[in-house]
Amino acid sequence: IRPNIVIYTSFINMYASIKDLASAEEMILEMEDKGVKPSVVSYNAILKACFATKNIERSLHWMKEMKIRKISPDIYSYNTLINLCVAIDDVERADFVYEKAVKESDIFPYVASDEIHGCDIVIDLHGFSTNTAKAAVKYELKNSAASGRKKRLGIVTGKGKSGKDPIIRGEIIKMLKIRGVCYCLAKNNEGMVIVEKK
């Protein structure tokens, strides 16, 4: 059987699951040597191996390699990197990674806000990990404060799979409370948190 992208990526994932970053990296390099171009899924598997071994330097290296090879990181790439930053207690770096991703248009969480509960800005956190969602909200709060104009921010968190105890919404509300930010749940939409203008 001639190795292809699926086989190589499967091996990278397998090495990630056993926390063998060196073998995962060897696999992606072999892949390139054999003329098989890695995809975003292949790089996400490498990032998974970096997360498993808590290796932030190699994770940043592979994100940079993706950019060099004109492969756009996706939300899974950023979720993994931001989760790694938080796992190694570097929340400041997690926030920076999110901010850079938005500025480079790798992440675009914005929804047209006309007529959505009177919000000036609406961000949709579907697909975001809890840590990425927190970084997104902190970014919007910081931008609102820096502009000197208070904006009504809508945060679409969803209601969770069962409609009960939605993790991201709960974590966002907890973060807003800790920061003393005034918020409410959108009327007739339990999956949306609204940060009020002050």
Side-chain angles (χ1 to χ4, degrees):
I1 298 174
R2 185 168 182 229
N4 59 33
I5 192 166
V6 174
I7 292 170
Y8 277 117
T9 302
S10 295
F11 271 102
I12 296 167
N13 270 312
M14 188 249 333
Y15 287 127
S17 70
I18 61 170
K19 299 181 181 182
D20 186 351
L21 177 57
S23 294
E25 289 182 322
E26 284 176 26
M27 196 58 44
I28 205 162
L29 295 173
E30 178 183 317
M31 198 175 173
E32 292 172 336
D33 287 346
K34 300 283 184 181
V36 179
K37 184 179 177 192
S39 67
V40 68
V41 176
S42 307
Y43 282 103
N44 285 343
I46 284 287
L47 293 173
K48 182 177 157 187
C50 294
F51 179 84
T53 58
K54 305 292 184 261
N55 194 323
I56 191 68
E57 289 78 20
R58 295 309 295 163
S59 187
L60 294 169
H61 164 80
W62 289 110
M63 287 291 278
K64 191 177 191 179
E65 285 297 312
M66 288 174 74
K67 295 277 191 169
I68 289 168
R69 288 170 170 68
K70 308 264 189 267
I71 296 172
S72 296
D74 62 12
I75 191 60
Y76 183 85
S77 313
Y78 282 105
N79 281 341
T80 304
L81 180 56
I82 289 168
N83 288 341
L84 174 54
C85 292
V86 172
I88 63 168
D89 294 324
D90 195 347
V91 175
E92 191 174 304
R93 186 181 294 191
D95 294 342
F96 174 78
V97 167
Y98 178 82
E99 184 173 333
K100 187 175 179 199
V102 170
K103 287 180 179 175
E104 292 178 0
S105 298
D106 285 337
I107 295 178
F108 191 82
Y110 304 102
V111 176
S113 60
D114 296 346
E115 305 300 319
I116 300 179
H117 299 286
C119 294
D120 300 300
I121 299 169
V122 177
I123 57 173
D124 185 350
L125 304 180
H126 285 93
F128 284 29
S129 69
T130 301
N131 292 321
T132 304
K134 287 176 164 179
V137 173
K138 286 189 272 184
Y139 175 77
E140 294 304 330
L141 294 174
K142 182 175 104 177
N143 281 348
S144 180
S147 74
R149 293 184 308 134
K150 298 297 179 190
K151 298 178 180 179
R152 193 166 201 230
L153 171 64
I155 306 164
V156 179
T157 62
K159 295 188 290 186
K161 290 183 179 168
S162 67
K164 298 176 186 172
D165 191 31
I167 295 169
I168 288 180
R169 185 179 70 191
E171 288 296 317
I172 294 302
I173 288 171
K174 185 165 77 174
M175 184 183 80
L176 293 172
K177 283 180 181 176
I178 289 168
R179 292 171 168 260
V181 175
C182 184
Y183 72 90
C184 66
L185 295 179
K187 208 174 211 179
N188 301 323
N189 185 350
E190 295 173 25
M192 187 169 181
V193 177
I194 297 175
V195 173
E196 298 291 350
K197 296 178 183 180
K198 285 189 178 177

